Amino acid sequence: MTARLAQRPLGRSGRTVSALGLGCASYWAKPRFPEARARAVLAAALEAGITLYDTGASYAHGHAEVRLGRLLRELGADPDALVIGTKVGTVADRRGRLVKDFRPESVTAQVRASLERLGLERIALLQLHGPEPDDLTEELLSALERLRDDGVVDLLGINGFAPVIRHATGLAPFDVLMPFLSVMEPGNAALVRAAAETGQGVLVAGPLARMAFAPPLARWLTRPSGLWYLARAVRHGPGPLLRARALRPALRAPGWTPAELALAWVLEQPGVASAVFGTTTPAHVTALTEAAHLPLPDTVRAAVARVHGL
Ligand SMILES: NC(=O)c1ccc[n+]([C@@H]2O[C@H](COP(=O)([O-])OP(=O)(O)OC[C@H]3O[C@@H](n4cnc5c(N)ncnc54)[C@H](OP(=O)(O)O)[C@@H]3O)[C@@H](O)[C@H]2O)c1
């Protein structure tokens, strides 16, 4: 039986979340990923004590929210015992391309559509999906506060790149911030610390850096999900894969996989409440849960710091 995960305070929000969160996005969310496999990943996460589930209105054109809501119900999970988070602000335009839309009335309508797809009466964590600092207008912040006052959402947050995370650090009404942080992007550790010091809960997106530091080519070339991950890596260009090459020798320790070491590195960064990772493999949920209890070997911490000149 998998050891159950530690729960950590989500800033000063009064809620706790498991040190690992499950990202219900990417290939997991696609209709072509078999429902039984998606269900097995979710079942492994519930069994491991994962209480944070992160999805988004735009993931797989709404299918991620529908699948997450449906499978949690089928698995008998109590939504009040979990933090089910979704994101709005990314919508499909008339040609089906994903564009940003943070107009207050649109955000309110997007939230109602997410509630419907998830099959929930209330969203525990609503995040803005990749806004720019200029998108955070007074009107938008008021609309978000109204959603909270109306009991439609509980916590409010932002998932995005460094400039908006810096801008929103300590900014009301945001209880939660979700930057990217990984052994590939250690610079964001300072942002995490600063946000946590203001009392905001900090979730980390992409903590495994999409495995750029140890591309699992055999898996990528032999599974439908792998081919999708490979295509995604190619779409992002050779940059991340080339930059990550220097990290490969650093992420080695007896008894650990590179993914487990990368995760342990994120979990020991001050201020991190939960690392939200993606997977299509139930055994990976179990392996990462086991690793989440272990301290990062000193040699690995030092080697990662050396690679980044820290
Ligand atoms: N990336 C973004 O642009 C983005 C943006 C906003 C929010 N987020 C949030 O962050 C979450 C995670 O992002 P992500 O999925 O892009 O990246 P990630 O978690 O850094 O990496 C996912 C990759 O790691 C692999 N993996 C997971 N556990 C593993 C293990 N124990 N051993 C080996 N490989 C393992 C997965 O493959 P398998 O399927 O084979 O396990 C998958 O290829 C998302 O689900 C979403 O909730 C991401």
Side-chain angles (χ1 to χ4, degrees), residues 23-26 54 59 87 129 159 178 180 205-211 219 229 232 259 276-281 284 288:
C24 301
S26 305
D54 174 70
Y59 295 156
K87 311 187 196 78
H129 196 183
N159 167 225
M178 188 178 187
F180 293 89
L208 303 178
R210 300 168 177 158
M211 296 301 294
R219 289 174 70 82
Y229 285 131
R232 183 172 75 164
V276 179
F277 71 102
T279 188
T280 53
T281 312
H284 284 168
L288 293 182

Side-chain angles (χ1 to χ4, degrees), residues 214-231:
L217 284 176
R219 289 174 70 82
W220 281 2
L221 291 169
T222 55
R223 302 164 153 233
S225 61
L227 291 174
W228 184 86
Y229 285 131
L230 177 62

Side-chain angles (χ1 to χ4, degrees), residues 188-202:
N188 282 353
L191 285 181
V192 168
R193 235 181 359 256
E197 278 166 9
T198 72
Q200 288 170 316
V202 183

